[in-house]
Amino acid sequence: MKVPFYDATREYNLYKKEFDNAVSDVIASGAFILGKQVQDFEEAICKYTGAKYSAGVANGSDALVIASDILNYKCDAEILTPVFTFFASASCIARLGAKPLFCDVDEDTFCMDMNDAAGRITKKTKGILPVHLFLQTADMTACMELAKKNNLTVLEDAAEAFGMKTLYNGDYKHAGTLGDFGVFSFFPTKTLGGYGDGGMIVTNDEELYKKAKSYRTHGSTIKYHHDYIGYNSRLDTLQAAILSVKLSRIDNAIQKRASHAAQYREMLKDIPQIKLPVVKNSNKEVNYVFCVKAEKRGELEEYLKSKNIGTSIYYPIPLHLQKCFDYLGYKKGDFPVSEKLCETVLALPMFPELTQDEVSFVCESIKEFYKK
Ligand SMILES: Cc1ncc(COP(=O)(O)O)c(C=O)c1O
C-alpha cells in the first residue's frame, strides 16, 4: 500500500464534471480578471463564515501583507506573533518595516500563548497577529481582551483555519471573523484548497473592506485613479469557480477529516511514544493537519517513508532562528515550547478521500516502529 500525505486528484476524479464545467464556464465567458465567479465566491464565503465583507486576493501571504499595510504595521510598530508558524505570519510584518515581536506557543494547542504575549507588550506594540494552527484557533477570548486592554488591532492569520470555530461571548464564531481583519489561504492542501494559489481577506468593518478591495487593484476604485499605493493581487476567476464547487460540499469534507482524526486517535492512543493533539478553549476543531508529537521523530519519519507513507514536518525551524530574522537578535532557548515542538511534531496523512484502510496502515506501521 502507498499512502500519500495529500492527493488532490481523488476529489477531482469524484466530481470531475462539476469542476470541468466550472472551469469551462469561466473560459467561455472570457471574463478572467475579477469575473462574476469571484464575487459569487466572496458572497458564499461571507454566508458560510458570518463575516460581513470579503475580498479575494492572489494568495494567503498577500492577504496578510495587504491587511498589515492597511492596519499600518509599519515604521517602528511592533506586532506580536508566534514563532511556531509558517513564515508568512511574520514576513508580512517585517516586509513593511515593522518589527515582529515574537512570542511562544501553548504546548497543547500549538497556538500563541496569550500570557507570554501579554508579558512582551511595550509602548511600541500596535497589533496582535494570532495564528490558528493545524486544528484549532488561538485563544481568541484572551486575545481580544489583550487587544482591548492595550489598544491593539488584531489581524487573524486564519490561513489554515477555514471552518474552525471558537466560543466567543457565548457564541461560536468562525476563525478569522473576530479581529479587525482575518485572512484565509486557498493553497491546494488547505481544507478549502484550490487548484493553484488563492487567498481572501475578511472583515466586519466597511471602511477596512473598501480599502482591502482597493489595495488589491493598485489602490484604485476607479480605473487609473489611484488613492493608495496598492498591489496587484486578485483571486483568479478560475480558482474562484473551482473553490465554489469545493465550498458547496465543505461540511462533508470537514466531516471526513474528522472521522480520519477519530480513527487516528483511537488507534494511536495506547502508544506511549506518541502524544495526540489536544483541543482547548471550547474550540470546534477542523483537522486541516493531523500533527502528533513523536519520540524519535526523524527515525519514525524514515520508517514511514520506507513503507510508502507520506508525512510532513510543520515546522522544522521556529521563526526566531530563521536566518533572515538574525537582525532581531533572538537566540536558541528564547522560545522553549516552540523549539521543542519543532523537534517532535510529525504530520500524518490527512485529506477527505483517505480510506479507513490507509489510516489503519499508517497506525499499524507506527505501532510496528515503536515495537522494534
Ligand atoms: C499559517 C499560514 N499563514 C500564511 C500562509 C500563506 O498562505 P499562502 O500559501 O496562500 O500564501 C499559510 C499557508 O501556507 C499558512 O499556513
Side-chain angles (χ1 to χ4, degrees):
M1 189 182 281
K2 191 173 178 183
V3 189
F5 179 66
Y6 176 77
D7 181 357
T9 63
R10 293 189 192 180
E11 187 187 34
Y12 174 67
N13 289 325
L14 279 175
Y15 310 111
K16 189 174 181 322
K17 243 194 161 141
E18 271 185 70
F19 286 118
D20 289 352
N21 286 343
V23 168
S24 59
D25 281 353
V26 175
I27 299 173
S29 78
F32 303 120
I33 305 298
L34 293 178
K36 178 184 173 301
Q37 287 80 354
V38 175
Q39 206 184 321
D40 290 348
F41 180 60
E42 287 170 343
E43 280 167 16
I45 289 287
C46 286
K47 197 164 168 217
Y48 188 84
T49 63
K52 269 196 185 158
Y53 307 103
S54 64
V57 294
N59 53 65
S61 305
D62 277 8
L64 283 168
V65 173
I66 292 172
S68 298
D69 196 342
I70 296 170
L71 293 176
N72 234 348
Y73 292 174
K74 299 174 204 172
C75 303
D76 61 350
E78 292 177 349
I79 313 302
L80 286 157
T81 201
V83 289
F84 187 66
T85 176
F86 180 60
F87 180 65
S89 314
S91 62
C92 62
I93 300 165
R95 169 161 299 288
L96 295 161
K99 181 182 167 193
L101 188 55
F102 283 139
C103 48
D104 216 338
V105 296
D106 180 288
E107 66 176 331
D108 291 325
T109 65
F110 307 162
C111 293
M112 195 169 191
D113 176 342
M114 293 300 164
N115 284 328
D116 185 61
R120 294 177 190 274
I121 292 176
T122 75
K123 280 192 181 132
K124 291 182 177 172
T125 311
K126 296 283 183 278
I128 313 185
L129 200 156
V131 185
H132 310 315
L133 219 58
F134 304 156
L135 89 161
Q136 65 194 305
T137 72
D139 182 347
M140 286 309 289
T141 300
C143 177
M144 297 308 284
E145 268 171 24
L146 199 60
K148 205 171 167 198
K149 197 169 148 205
N150 295 280
N151 200 19
L152 311 175
T153 52
V154 177
L155 166 50
E156 289 180 70
D157 183 344
E160 300 186 359
F162 194 80
M164 293 178 196
K165 288 183 202 158
T166 191
L167 194 59
Y168 185 74
N169 279 346
D171 282 329
Y172 274 102
K173 299 280 186 196
H174 271 262
T177 63
L178 287 168
D180 296 274
F181 277 125
V183 310
F184 297 118
S185 162
F186 305 125
F187 185 80
T189 58
K190 297 287 192 266
T191 305
L192 179 60
Y195 289 167
D197 277 313
M200 188 156 286
I201 302 173
V202 295
T203 181
N204 294 318
D205 182 310
E206 193 178 359
E207 284 309 305
L208 291 179
Y209 163 65
K210 282 183 182 161
K211 274 195 176 175
K213 251 183 106 176
S214 158
Y215 270 54
R216 75 175 171 186
T217 45
H218 287 294
S220 68
T221 38
I222 303 166
K223 210 173 178 185
Y224 304 130
H225 293 66
H226 302 274
D227 301 328
Y228 312 101
I229 300 171
Y231 301 78
N232 178 20
S233 181
R234 300 165 297 220
L235 178 62
D236 190 275
T237 308
L238 286 166
Q239 294 306 332
I242 290 159
L243 286 161
S244 284
V245 174
K246 289 214 175 187
L247 184 60
S248 69
R249 47 175 73 85
I250 194 73
D251 288 336
N252 186 255
I254 288 172
Q255 183 46 46
K256 284 184 182 155
R257 285 173 182 268
S259 80
H260 302 324
Q263 194 184 344
Y264 274 131
R265 284 183 185 278
E266 180 56 31
M267 292 191 71
L268 298 176
K269 70 176 193 298
D270 295 326
I271 306 179
Q273 295 91 339
I274 292 284
K275 296 258 174 318
L276 293 165
V278 177
V279 179
K280 275 189 179 169
N281 309 320
S282 309
N283 277 332
K284 281 201 178 154
E285 69 193 76
V286 170
N287 291 272
Y288 159 57
V289 170
F290 195 83
C291 253
V292 295
K293 290 190 240 176
E295 281 179 25
K296 297 191 185 159
R297 192 227 3 226
E299 287 164 58
L300 174 63
E301 186 192 11
E302 280 308 308
Y303 184 73
L304 295 179
K305 198 168 162 192
S306 75
K307 295 250 169 188
N308 286 320
I309 296 170
T311 59
S312 188
I313 292 176
Y314 300 96
Y315 297 90
I317 306 173
L319 294 187
H320 66 295
L321 301 180
Q322 294 287 353
K323 196 166 170 231
C324 66
F325 290 134
D326 276 356
Y327 72 96
L328 293 171
Y330 293 102
K331 58 182 188 319
K332 199 166 167 38
D334 283 347
F335 301 96
V337 177
S338 298
E339 289 171 28
K340 181 87 185 145
L341 289 178
C342 289
E343 287 165 10
T344 52
V345 288
L346 187 67
L348 304 178
M350 175 56 79
F351 55 97
E353 296 75 24
L354 267 178
T355 65
Q356 276 189 6
D357 285 350
E358 287 173 324
V359 175
S360 289
F361 180 62
V362 175
C363 296
E364 291 304 336
S365 302
I366 294 173
K367 280 184 194 161
E368 250 169 51
F369 169 77
Y370 286 115
K371 265 197 203 132
K372 280 200 301 141

